[in-house]
Amino acid sequence: MKRVLSFVLVIIMTAVLFAACGSSDGGKTAETTAPEPVTNLPKPDMTKWRYDEENDFYYQTEIGYCETPADESYEQLAVFVPGAYMDATDNGDGTYTCELNDSAQINGYTALNAPITMQIYTPAYAAADALTEEMVSQRSISEEIADITSQGMIYSCPGCRGINEGAPAGVTDLKAAIRYLRYADDVIPGDAESIFVFGMSGGGAQAAILGASGDSELYDPYLEAIGAVQGVSDSVKGAMAWCPVTNLGTANAEYEWMMGCTRKDRSEEENAISDGLANAYAEYVNSAGFKDENGKPLTLTQSDDGIYQAGSYYDHVKGVIETSLNHYLSDNDFGSSSAQEYIDGLNADQKWITYDKSTNTASITSVADFVNHCKVASDTVVAFDWPHSYNTLFGYGDGKGAHFDSILADVLTDLNSEDAQEYIDDFKKTDSFGYSVRQRVDMYTPLYYLMESEDGYGSANVAPYWRIRTGIEQNTNASTTEINLALALDNYDGAESVDFETVWAQGHEPVERTGDSTENFIAWVHSCMIPNK
């Protein structure tokens, strides 16, 4: 992937967002009807901007977004603004005093209505270091940032706490950063009602959580504890997620239902656990209320081969896989070879794909054949909680972690496993705010807010715009992770546009069917903003 969205770049930018104006003299003049924010935080100082002449953007770093930070080294922002949006005076010490130029336009945007992009770099839910001035000067990030600012957009990225502090610390911090952007919207260039969050893997997961959980009251005590701005929204306009590792409460069951059949030489205990999880996933699907685009319920039924490898839900998953393959066939020029030769290569040891040359389309025999050829499980049985790093995510900030998968706990209980008690004990614990592990799993589960079968349905302001991309061959997640998210969004009234694609022959990375991920992300934001321009 190119620049800003590349893994390397993203690492560099674990914290880049924000800056914006400081005094009311240079602030925006647009009126607002929003309630008055409650905070003692200062707004960004308009006399402290720095300027990148080569790439023509102004920026600030290390701006605190909460009054009583749990860890000030993380809870800071930096922001990058197109040069045209500022009228600047050189202070002679490397900084500039700026006023907003609200007449300049880039792609139809101005300093008043430009979208604000917020990059989230938290692989495996890791903490994101706040970007410092020293980091900016030492790393070659200017061109990557300019990819976005040159299009008239604001580029931002907050530092935030991560897995070691336990959920919901990371998303709490990101929500506080979003609230601060709205609080300072009168001086920060861009439209704080048009915030687009984006990330990959754990960052994609937290982008999805932010998109689904806007203004959820569950976060209120955590936000109050760090002194986040009160009286403003933490919802976003759009969420872009590449390969989001999310919906962790069902992740083990999904993994075994889809990919458990690829494991060889399993012990008797592993077989029993894997099969138990696969069966439990069918129970979950049949009670969750997934629907297709026509509102038809999607369910799983028992099958002669495999575990619940039949039914309308199974057919939908199989169809997503076939669509991904057919897009690959139509998108690619096979050069001196042919699509038929490509299919023949996939069928080398077993014919599991049927190809029609006249229409350049293909179909597969089964989901099981697909995963055995293209998506073999990389993790042991119980990929997400046995223990795993995600146990730390739902721990209590002491590094010891906690079990969090109630589906797995039920399977172990049914098998009379001595390990079941550990799960039961962890489920009884609460954090300093009285929240249990299960409640915190809900907070980090987008489907909790999107599915009618969940208690959180209708309790949050869901982002209207979504873009989800995933490599279909990644073995970090079952494909159902993104499929279920897309299904839930397609049936949620508040989600106006859901752009979902799986990408054939690609894995766990910022994948795209065609083109560059940075450019495609920018084009998507443009498309979402068209009604406002």
Side-chain angles (χ1 to χ4, degrees), residues 63-97:
I63 299 178
Y65 56 71
C66 50
E67 289 187 57
T68 53
D71 192 331
E72 191 173 3
S73 64
Y74 291 120
E75 293 159 318
Q76 297 179 354
L77 293 164
V79 77
F80 295 75
V81 179
Y85 295 165
M86 297 291 208
D87 289 331
T89 301
D90 191 340
N91 295 327
D93 60 358
T95 65
Y96 293 78
T97 297

Side-chain angles (χ1 to χ4, degrees), residues 10-32:
V10 176
I11 291 176
I12 292 174
M13 311 177 98
T14 59
V16 355
L17 164 104
F18 202 111
C21 317
S23 67
S24 59
D25 292 339
K28 300 181 186 179
T29 58
E31 294 183 0
T32 176

Side-chain angles (χ1 to χ4, degrees), residues 501-523:
E501 294 275 6
T502 60
V503 185
W504 188 263
Q506 297 297 314
H508 193 73
E509 53 191 307
V511 295
E512 297 287 338
R513 274 180 58 192
T514 59
D516 172 86
S517 57
T518 303
E519 294 173 357
N520 289 347
F521 168 70
I522 291 169

Side-chain angles (χ1 to χ4, degrees), residues 8-19 59-63 65 72-80 117-123 127-136 139 141 145 155-161 174 177:
V8 174
L9 161 68
V10 176
I11 291 176
I12 292 174
M13 311 177 98
T14 59
V16 355
L17 164 104
F18 202 111
Y59 66 97
Q60 287 192 33
T61 63
E62 300 178 79
I63 299 178
Y65 56 71
E72 191 173 3
S73 64
Y74 291 120
E75 293 159 318
Q76 297 179 354
L77 293 164
V79 77
F80 295 75
T117 65
M118 176 181 283
Q119 184 167 20
I120 301 169
Y121 182 68
T122 54
D129 292 329
L131 192 69
T132 65
E133 172 61 29
E134 182 180 4
M135 292 166 67
V136 174
R139 286 171 164 72
I141 63 173
I145 295 167
Y155 176 83
S156 72
C157 180
C160 66
R161 291 169 293 162
L174 297 169

Side-chain angles (χ1 to χ4, degrees), residues 227-408:
V229 179
Q230 301 296 306
V232 294
S233 172
D234 52 57
S235 64
V236 298
K237 187 167 187 173
M240 166 76 244
W242 287 274
C243 301
V245 184
T246 189
N247 296 323
L248 295 172
T250 59
N252 284 311
E254 295 179 44
Y255 203 90
E256 297 310 313
W257 176 82
M258 185 175 201
M259 300 158 68
C261 65
T262 68
R263 293 201 186 87
K264 312 301 179 186
D265 302 321
R266 297 186 304 193
S267 68
E268 183 177 345
E269 180 187 30
E270 289 174 331
N271 276 329
I273 294 171
S274 178
D275 291 352
L277 285 168
N279 279 288
Y281 184 62
E283 294 178 12
Y284 164 74
V285 167
N286 291 341
S287 64
F290 293 112
K291 300 175 184 178
D292 66 12
E293 66 275 10
N294 299 315
K296 176 185 176 182
L298 297 177
T299 59
L300 287 168
T301 59
Q302 294 184 355
S303 55
D304 293 333
D305 296 320
I307 297 175
Y308 283 90
Q309 298 292 294
S312 53
Y313 179 88
Y314 173 87
D315 292 339
H316 180 80
V317 173
K318 182 172 177 285
V320 170
I321 296 168
E322 291 174 335
T323 297
S324 182
L325 172 55
N326 286 316
H327 282 161
Y328 182 82
L329 295 176
S330 64
D331 292 341
N332 286 275
D333 179 2
F334 290 90
S336 59
S337 62
S338 66
Q340 180 67 65
E341 289 176 297
Y342 174 73
I343 297 296
D344 290 343
L346 293 175
N347 283 334
D349 64 342
Q350 173 196 353
K351 184 175 180 180
W352 61 282
I353 301 175
T354 300
Y355 176 65
D356 184 337
K357 184 177 180 180
S358 64
T359 59
N360 192 33
T361 58
S363 60
I364 66 172
T365 52
S366 68
V367 173
D369 284 337
F370 161 71
V371 295
N372 274 297
H373 284 85
C374 300
K375 196 179 174 73
V376 176
S378 62
D379 290 306
T380 59
V381 175
V382 188
F384 296 90
D385 186 354
W386 188 261
H388 188 279
S389 61
Y390 298 107
N391 295 101
T392 306
L393 179 63
F394 294 108
Y396 298 91
D398 56 5
K400 296 180 180 179
H403 291 297
F404 60 88
D405 186 344
S406 60
I407 294 176
L408 175 57

Side-chain angles (χ1 to χ4, degrees), residues 473-509:
E473 293 188 4
Q474 66 163 333
N475 46 24
T476 304
N477 282 347
S479 298
T480 50
T481 299
E482 293 89 353
I483 290 173
N484 289 351
L485 178 57
L487 283 171
L489 288 165
D490 282 334
N491 285 279
Y492 192 87
D493 288 340
E496 297 178 19
S497 174
V498 184
D499 182 354
F500 168 59
E501 294 275 6
T502 60
V503 185
W504 188 263
Q506 297 297 314
H508 193 73
E509 53 191 307

Side-chain angles (χ1 to χ4, degrees), residues 7 19 102 145 155 163 188 201 212 253 291 388 402 453 457 464 485 531:
F7 249 96
D102 58 13
I145 295 167
Y155 176 83
I163 189 170
I188 295 174
S201 187
K291 300 175 184 178
H388 188 279
S453 57
Y457 180 77
L485 178 57

